[in-house]
Amino acid sequence: MASAVVMDSGEKTLAGGSFFGAVRRKSEMQGAIFTDLQHAVPRKLPTHAHELPFFALLLRGYYGERYGREEKQFSPFTVMFRPAGIPHQDEIGPEGLRFFEIELRPKWQARIAECSGNLRLGCEDLRGGEMLWLTVKLFRELFGGVAADSFAVESLLAELVGHAGRLPKEKMRQSPGWLARVMEKLQVEHCERVTLDELSGEAGVHPVHLSRVFRRFVGEGIGEYVHRLRIRTACERLLALEASLSEVSIATGFADQSHFCRVFRRITGMTPQTFRKGLGCPA
């Protein structure tokens, strides 16, 4: 049951470590509270806020959130940050959901204050970037079946807070208009065979210029960006118990299962089999 106090406006503020839903597992170390949370059925939660700021990794299901006049929808393997004290209302999708929550105590809140305004205002990683894989690695470290290493947890937390604070939202506003078209094309077609010539044709610029500008504004090369998108999609497909690794590798655009497994391990820090096992799925 969620522990809460009532705000002046009438909404509830949930205390640290408290959430609506069923807590599967919980751990606290290095100034953070880690919660493996599940909602079994669809429902709309009461409007509430949280005492502590937190990162949330959506592992299963679909989720909607409303705060103020803004509404957002999230799919599996999206990671988000939410500041403390902001009233919002959540809606659980039709098949329920599962979250990995990382609440930050004052030790980390001081570091957040030193980061950019992007983090303090809330941010989402919707494209399978480094923020997603850092939270996946934390999930495995905390709930992977062996005792968590305190130093590894602290190091991953430091990376997560630092990386989120450096997300290039302001920088992207200054990017050329064609870059948004290229990124949209990759979002839609990343599991297909997309060539640099096709992308440069979409942008109307030389392939060399495209590659240089892409790295400058996105922070990584086109190939690595596509690999991250593919692995994020693969994570969703791995939730389907009937899908074999070979089927997932082909469906997400990899040449073969071996190549898929190498890239998966490089990006996530684990094999696809370990990933499935960590989520409670058979390998």
Side-chain angles (χ1 to χ4, degrees):
M1 181 178 294
S3 174
V5 297
V6 179
M7 299 181 289
D8 292 339
S9 58
E11 291 104 359
K12 293 181 178 181
T13 295
L14 301 184
S18 298
F19 294 91
F20 293 107
V23 175
R24 295 165 55 106
R25 295 172 288 188
K26 183 185 293 186
S27 178
E28 181 168 0
M29 66 169 60
Q30 291 295 351
I33 306 172
F34 305 92
T35 304
D36 183 0
L37 181 73
Q38 182 172 342
H39 287 268
V41 296
R43 62 173 174 153
K44 189 173 289 187
L45 303 181
T47 300
H48 64 282
H50 294 268
E51 177 188 30
L52 298 177
F54 66 95
F55 290 96
L57 168 63
L58 182 55
L59 292 166
R60 291 176 181 269
Y62 293 85
Y63 161 81
E65 183 177 79
R66 174 185 293 176
Y67 49 99
R69 296 183 178 180
E70 189 170 359
E71 294 185 29
K72 292 188 177 182
Q73 300 292 322
F74 301 98
S75 59
F77 301 100
T78 299
V79 61
M80 63 202 80
F81 175 82
R82 290 297 171 261
I86 303 219
H88 59 281
Q89 185 175 37
D90 306 329
E91 184 169 0
I92 312 304
E95 298 179 359
L97 57 76
R98 185 177 176 188
F99 261 126
F100 173 47
E101 312 275 6
I102 306 169
E103 295 178 280
L104 305 177
R105 291 205 181 277
K107 168 183 176 179
W108 295 103
Q109 293 174 32
R111 299 193 187 186
I112 288 175
E114 298 170 358
C115 294
S116 74
N118 290 338
L119 185 55
R120 292 194 300 271
L121 294 173
C123 57
E124 294 81 33
D125 190 345
L126 305 174
R127 61 177 179 82
E130 188 62 22
M131 209 164 84
L132 169 60
W133 308 120
L134 287 168
T135 55
V136 168
K137 290 174 184 177
L138 272 166
F139 179 80
R140 183 194 177 197
E141 186 65 41
L142 268 299
F143 301 126
V146 298
D149 181 272
S150 179
F151 181 71
V153 169
E154 183 179 34
S155 299
L156 287 167
L157 277 171
E159 285 189 73
L160 179 61
V161 169
H163 183 82
R166 295 192 302 270
L167 288 176
K169 291 192 174 182
E170 294 301 321
K171 196 174 182 181
M172 286 298 292
R173 291 177 185 172
Q174 305 166 16
S175 64
W178 54 259
L179 182 57
R181 298 197 303 272
V182 168
M183 295 183 72
E184 183 178 357
K185 182 178 178 67
L186 292 175
Q187 286 279 349
V188 174
E189 302 178 16
H190 60 270
C191 290
E192 303 173 16
R193 185 179 179 274
V194 180
T195 68
L196 190 58
D197 283 342
E198 289 174 349
L199 294 176
S200 64
E202 177 72 32
V205 299
H206 192 277
V208 173
H209 181 65
L210 166 63
S211 299
R212 183 169 59 246
V213 171
F214 191 97
R215 182 176 291 278
R216 175 188 170 196
F217 286 98
V218 181
E220 61 188 343
I222 297 172
E224 182 65 13
Y225 180 84
V226 170
H227 276 167
R228 289 184 188 276
L229 290 175
R230 287 179 175 178
I231 295 302
R232 183 185 180 278
T233 298
C235 286
E236 292 190 57
R237 289 180 176 271
L238 286 169
L239 296 177
L241 307 185
E242 68 277 7
S244 69
L245 295 187
S246 177
E247 290 170 336
V248 172
S249 64
I250 293 172
T252 51
F254 289 94
D256 51 46
Q257 182 177 327
S258 177
H259 183 212
F260 163 63
C261 290
R262 287 198 306 273
V263 175
F264 193 99
R265 185 164 191 169
R266 175 170 57 80
I267 290 176
T268 69
M270 66 189 86
T271 65
Q273 295 95 329
T274 301
F275 173 84
R276 261 184 168 166
K277 184 178 179 181
L279 290 180
C281 305

